[in-house]
């Protein structure tokens, strides 16, 4: 491969163009074929027996191209990229974004790498910012809520001799029969079920109500029409039940015994004071972080200059991915979340993009401060951090270095130290 050109389509953005000849593409494609041929099953051939021409006739002539392109890019581009950056004196502040421009059998392929360069910002102010740290008061209700959660967590299951009622937790053995025969997933031993929770299929928990420990009986239920196992959906079945025990959740009283058990203190007053302090510490930490964010926002406002668009775009994409992941954990789609907060996609993404611009500006200002104040870690600092990482991972320093993005480590650590420096040279007023 070769470097075709180095351009700066906009301030603080570098775009490099690379190309590979048809011969290079062919050789790399053949290497991919040799490496992967055993995985292909082509009609009329046993797995792994079809040759390259037969595979390409079935799957298309491009079948091996994209892995070949990745191989060539991974092998040749890093050295070409690093040499060009050094030759032009460019300093990257992010990883390059690669794009495939064209690929043809008789022309090879062309690809580009676009990378954000460090902008030169006019920092009108770097110290002397002020912010308020307002810690909300801890209320009695908040303390009560924590204690109730701890009571619930400390609850014990106590056997109950009477008939099972809603709210009881029972342990059962059961076997499900469809048309007189056991079905997959229909059998369990010592299964805990909270009656009234609705976690079992309709009619199952209700069928246990009124029975006592030690009883054996049958429950007749019908699976929902939309049940996930299609062979059971809408089918009537019978469950043979053995009720091992019936238990109630016994929640401890809020007394000195409870205080000793959960917190190793002698009285409820001491426990309440401990919980109050913990809640206060959590609120104070949150308030302090918000105050620090205010200082860094002021730094962003005091940082004049144009940012590379590719850096803002990358930061925006990262923030959107984080939001999507958080919503996924809550089993929410973005559209459903936006409907809940009564916001359009356009206004929401505009806010995220504005946040991304602020984040990128703060980071570039901090990186500039880190360089000015000699806060960027040295090679020795990086080696020391990587050596500690290697020791934890039980690997050699060379192995860890090979898999580490050292320029990113240096930037990120410099940004972190600069943030601490700016905050130390500013004022946070406790309220």
């Amino acid at each position: 491969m070769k470097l075709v050109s180095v351009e700066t389509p906009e301030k603080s953005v570098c775009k490099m163009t690379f190309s590979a000849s048809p011969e290079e593409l062919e050789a790399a494609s053949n290497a991919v074929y040799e490496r992967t041929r055993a995985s292909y099953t082509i009609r009329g051939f046993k797995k792994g027996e079809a040759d390259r021409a037969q595979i390409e006739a079935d799957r298309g002539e491009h079948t091996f191209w994209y892995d070949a392109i990745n191989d060539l890019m991974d092998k040749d581009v890093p050295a070409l990229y690093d040499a060009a950056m050094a030759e032009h004196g460019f300093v990257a502040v992010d990883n390059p974004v690669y794009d495939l421009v064209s690929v043809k059998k008789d022309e090879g392929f062309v690809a580009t790498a676009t990378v954000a360069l460090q902008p030169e910002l006019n920092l009108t102010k770097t110290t002397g910012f002020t912010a308020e740290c307002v810690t909300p008061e801890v209320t009695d209700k908040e303390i009560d809520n924590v204690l109730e959660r701890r009571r619930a967590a400390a609850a014990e299951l106590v056997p109950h001799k009477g008939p099972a009622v809603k709210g009881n937790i029972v342990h059962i053995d059961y076997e499900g029969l469809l048309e007189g025969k056991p079905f997959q997933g229909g059998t369990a031993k010592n299964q805990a079920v909270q009656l009234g929770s609705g976690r079992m299929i309709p009619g199952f928990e209700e069928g246990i109500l009124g029975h006592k420990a030690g009883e054996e009986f049958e429950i007749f239920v019908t699976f929902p029409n939309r049940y996930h196992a299609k062979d059971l959906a809408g089918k009537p079945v019978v469950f043979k039940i053995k009720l091992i025990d019936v238990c109630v959740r016994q929640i401890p009283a809020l007394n000195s015994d409870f205080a000793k058990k959960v917190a190793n203190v002698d009285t409820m007053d001491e426990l309440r004071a401990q919980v109050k302090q913990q809640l206060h510490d959590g609120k104070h930490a949150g308030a302090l972080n918000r105050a620090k964010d205010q200082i860094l926002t002021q730094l962003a406002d005091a940082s004049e200059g144009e940012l590379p668009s590719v850096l803002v775009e990358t930061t925006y994409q990262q923030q959107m991915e984080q939001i999507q992941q958080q919503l996924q954990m809550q089993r929410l789609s973005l559209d459903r979340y936006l409907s809940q907060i009564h916001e359009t996609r356009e206004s929401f993404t505009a806010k995220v993009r504005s946040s991304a611009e602020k984040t990128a500006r703060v980071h570039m200002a901090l990186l500039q401060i880190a360089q000015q104040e000699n806060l960027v870690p040295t090679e020795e600092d990086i080696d020391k951090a990587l050596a500690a990482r290697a020791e934890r991972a039980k690997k050699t320093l060379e192995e860890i270095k090979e898999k580490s993005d050292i320029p990113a480590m240096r930037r990120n650590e410099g940004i972190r130290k600069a943030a601490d420096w700016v905050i130390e040279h500013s004022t946070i007023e406790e309220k």
Side-chain angles (χ1 to χ4, degrees):
M1 289 193 67
K2 65 179 181 180
L3 175 65
V4 177
S5 64
V6 178
E7 304 170 274
T8 50
E10 63 180 90
K11 191 175 180 181
S12 301
V13 173
C14 171
K15 183 177 182 180
M16 299 185 193
T17 301
F18 305 91
S19 71
S21 67
E23 293 76 18
E24 288 175 313
L25 178 59
E26 171 60 20
S29 297
N30 198 59
V32 173
Y33 158 70
E34 294 291 351
R35 187 172 73 232
T36 63
R37 61 179 297 180
S39 64
Y40 284 91
T41 301
I42 305 299
R43 182 175 295 179
F45 298 89
K46 291 183 179 180
K47 187 174 183 179
E49 285 191 349
D51 62 22
R52 180 177 171 185
Q54 290 156 343
I55 295 172
E56 289 180 336
D58 183 78
R59 304 292 178 89
E61 69 170 355
H62 61 276
T63 302
F64 303 106
W65 283 358
Y66 297 104
D67 284 340
I69 290 168
N70 287 332
D71 288 349
L72 286 169
M73 295 284 286
D74 291 342
K75 174 177 172 287
D76 296 334
V77 166
L80 293 170
Y81 170 85
D82 289 342
M85 293 291 286
E87 180 183 347
H88 290 81
F90 292 152
V91 178
V93 290
D94 201 359
N95 293 322
V97 176
Y98 293 100
D99 290 300
L100 182 61
V101 177
S102 67
V103 54
K104 293 182 180 179
K105 189 172 184 178
D106 56 350
E107 295 180 9
F109 74 88
V110 176
T112 60
T114 306
V115 64
L117 305 178
Q118 183 173 350
E120 187 175 347
L121 300 177
N122 177 27
L123 305 182
T124 61
K125 185 176 181 180
T126 59
T127 62
F129 301 109
T130 60
E132 290 185 351
C133 177
V134 182
T135 304
E137 291 290 333
V138 176
T139 66
D140 287 338
K141 184 176 181 181
E142 289 172 324
I143 297 172
D144 291 340
N145 289 339
V146 171
L147 293 176
E148 285 304 315
R149 288 197 295 272
R150 292 194 181 182
R151 284 181 74 197
E156 297 179 352
L157 291 181
V158 179
H160 173 59
K161 294 183 179 179
V165 298
K166 281 187 178 181
N168 288 159
I169 295 174
V170 299
H171 293 88
I172 59 173
D173 294 340
Y174 64 81
E175 181 183 35
L177 302 174
L178 173 62
E179 297 178 351
K181 296 180 180 179
F183 55 86
Q184 187 175 4
T187 301
K189 294 286 187 181
N190 199 33
Q191 177 76 41
V193 178
Q194 183 172 356
L195 302 182
S197 65
R199 295 184 63 184
M200 308 297 283
I201 64 172
F204 189 97
E205 295 170 23
E206 291 81 355
I208 299 174
L209 297 175
H211 290 281
K212 295 182 179 181
E215 291 186 14
E216 296 186 24
F217 51 93
E218 294 181 344
I219 297 174
F220 297 87
V221 295
T222 300
F223 277 94
N225 290 327
R226 294 187 177 181
Y227 194 64
H228 62 86
K230 294 183 179 180
D231 56 334
L232 295 174
K235 299 289 181 64
V237 296
V238 59
F239 281 97
K240 292 183 177 181
I241 307 290
K242 180 180 179 181
L243 185 52
I244 300 170
D245 62 24
V246 178
C247 300
V248 295
R249 293 179 73 250
Q250 190 172 79
I251 298 177
L254 292 175
N255 53 28
S256 58
D257 290 338
F258 176 75
K260 289 177 183 177
K261 182 177 180 180
V262 302
N264 198 28
V265 295
D266 294 328
T267 66
M268 281 301 300
D269 286 342
E270 289 177 287
L271 177 56
R272 290 186 69 87
Q274 185 186 88
V275 170
K276 182 175 182 178
Q277 185 62 49
Q278 291 169 345
L279 289 170
H280 173 270
D281 291 346
K283 289 188 173 189
H284 181 262
L288 188 58
N289 286 334
R290 288 190 292 274
K292 292 177 180 179
D293 285 343
Q294 290 175 25
I295 287 174
L296 296 181
T297 296
Q298 292 172 48
L299 173 64
D301 293 338
S303 306
E304 301 173 348
E306 185 179 349
L307 294 175
S309 60
V310 64
L311 177 63
V312 176
E313 179 62 25
T314 300
T315 307
Y316 165 76
Q317 294 296 341
Q318 291 171 345
Q319 292 190 1
M320 285 298 295
E321 285 177 14
Q322 290 172 358
I323 291 168
Q324 295 277 17
Q325 289 171 0
Q326 291 168 357
L327 292 176
Q328 194 172 25
M329 291 174 64
Q330 302 172 47
R331 297 184 178 180
L332 279 175
S333 66
L334 179 58
D335 287 335
R336 185 176 175 188
Y337 170 69
L338 293 176
S339 69
Q340 290 179 355
I341 63 173
H342 306 293
E343 189 160 7
T344 66
R345 182 179 283 263
E346 290 74 17
S347 63
F348 179 77
T349 54
K351 288 180 180 178
V352 176
R353 191 170 291 280
S354 176
S355 171
E357 196 277 340
K358 188 198 86 171
T359 298
R361 186 170 293 278
V362 167
H363 285 176
M364 291 303 96
L366 290 173
L367 183 58
Q368 194 164 313
I369 291 170
Q371 293 162 345
Q372 293 171 357
E373 301 298 328
N374 295 319
L375 299 173
V376 177
T378 63
E379 293 291 341
E380 184 180 350
D381 295 331
I382 294 294
D383 283 348
K384 186 176 179 181
L386 291 176
R389 188 183 299 177
E391 185 177 354
R392 290 194 299 271
K394 300 188 186 311
K395 294 185 177 180
T396 66
L397 178 59
E398 290 69 26
E399 287 176 318
I400 294 297
K401 272 189 171 182
E402 186 179 349
K403 295 183 179 180
S404 298
D405 187 344
I406 293 176
M409 282 183 64
R410 185 175 287 109
R411 288 194 303 270
N412 293 338
E413 183 62 11
I415 287 170
R416 186 191 67 78
K417 287 184 176 181
D420 291 342
W421 184 88
V422 170
I423 291 166
E424 286 172 7
H425 289 78
S426 299
T427 303
I428 295 178
E429 299 175 354
E430 298 276 357
K431 294 289 184 178

